[in-house]
Amino acid sequence: MGDVFKALADPTRRIILDELTERSGQTLFEICARLATKHGLGSSRQAISQHLDVLEGAGLVETRRQGRYKFHYVDPAPLEPIVERWLKGRTPGARDGAEGDRNEDPPDERDG
């Protein structure tokens, strides 16, 4: 699980996962082009390749070779234990009382 958190800690890797979620099965060239055009990231192909290696090492990305092309696919399976451990069974928006505390009106200091 530590590899997953390490992989997700980097904002560029999270953007790569977003792009692969939007359109799975991309080559390195396609990912680099999308990062440059959609997000203004000018990282080198080598840097993006290293990010993909980290994501693949964490199990968040799978690759398949077809001829001379290597396609990258997102694999959310390593996220399931995290969801199971900390998020399953929670009501969306519930924050253990934090929501109620945030919405309370502050006490009026003029009364008193």
Side-chain angles (χ1 to χ4, degrees), residues 3-45:
D3 290 346
V4 173
F5 285 112
K6 180 182 172 188
L8 294 174
D10 186 275
T12 300
R13 290 195 281 267
R14 291 193 301 268
I15 292 171
I16 291 171
L17 285 177
D18 289 342
E19 290 301 321
L20 288 174
T21 299
E22 186 175 309
R23 193 170 81 80
S24 199
Q26 296 183 59
T27 64
L28 175 61
F29 178 80
E30 291 170 318
I31 294 168
C32 289
R34 289 173 70 101
L35 293 177
T37 58
K38 288 180 68 179
H39 303 282
L41 294 176
S43 300
S44 68
R45 289 179 63 183

